[in-house]
Amino acid sequence: MRPAAALAACVLLSACATAGGSLPSPAVSGYLDVATVNDLADGVSPPSSSPPSPGDPQPEPPGADRWWMATSHAELRPPEAAQHFDCALGTRLGETSRPALTRLMNRLLVDAVTVTRRLAALHPRPRPIAVDPELQPCQRIDAATRATPSWPAAEAVAGAAYGEMFAELAPDRAAAARFIGSELGRSRTVCRMNWPQDVESGQAIGRRVFEAAQQESGLPADLEAARAELAAARAEGLTNPSCAAERRALGPMPGAAR
């Protein structure tokens, strides 16, 4: 990939991310209580007991446009993660502080990671990069990260939950928001961090996480506050300069601003 294209892919964030799936500050709580988390986890079918073969992932090669996009997608913590949705929404969310949106995303991330960790503890299976140490991940990792469970893909859970959230906040861009949410998960196969089945399962779980959060009393007010911030951001008329690089990496986006 040309250096300029690689740089453009990373400009979606302030810098290329090196890790994803971390919890926000301990002061942030999710929407779901322990009982709801347990109910969600109990309703998910575990993966096959045997891991897929090392040849199962068919990601893009290192240096491809999609590879660099996957590198930036590794950052799922707000407020930076909101910028993944700039092009889908036709705005530039990182231009100024959006505290209500950041709070909403942080609380959903807590729920996504909490559910993921419970399921991973119940049904651990190795990552592609653990089964085949020769696979090259698209982010810097250490031995501890390599040894963490692959199922379900935490970024796929969070990405799908974010996609549903932005679809709720901007119904006219719902298809594009869900598309980006799903691509955040697919980036984990590009990065050799998760098997495709882990991502597919994680996306379904993420949608269920948002659906469960909608039943909690704290979500409606947070949605309304974030909706006002998003409307203000879209009214600013700014766009992210990396949208051309994103289109090159991901292809056509359904219902997105051009």
Side-chain angles (χ1 to χ4, degrees), residues 3-4 11 25 29 39-40 66 81-82 116-117 125 138 144 158 160 162 169-170 188 226 231 233 238 246:
V11 168
S25 163
S29 61
D39 286 345
L40 275 173
R66 188 63 182 82
T116 298
R117 287 179 174 176
R125 70 166 170 173
C138 67
Y162 288 161
L169 294 178
R188 307 314 290 161
L238 301 176
E246 181 176 277

Side-chain angles (χ1 to χ4, degrees), residues 186-199:
R186 195 172 79 82
S187 285
R188 307 314 290 161
T189 64
V190 176
C191 283
R192 279 77 164 175
M193 296 297 290
N194 298 92
W195 308 98
Q197 301 95 318
D198 303 333
V199 169

Side-chain angles (χ1 to χ4, degrees), residues 192-257:
R192 279 77 164 175
M193 296 297 290
N194 298 92
W195 308 98
Q197 301 95 318
D198 303 333
V199 169
E200 292 170 9
S201 183
Q203 290 167 341
I205 294 166
R207 291 189 289 269
R208 293 182 63 186
V209 164
F210 184 75
E211 181 180 353
Q214 285 183 301
Q215 309 307 312
E216 302 301 320
S217 60
L219 186 69
D222 286 351
L223 280 172
E224 281 305 309
R227 185 176 289 113
E229 286 185 351
L230 178 56
R234 295 178 70 182
E236 291 167 3
L238 301 176
T239 58
N240 193 309
S242 289
C243 290
E246 181 176 277
R247 287 193 295 271
R248 185 164 56 248
L250 302 183
M253 187 184 302

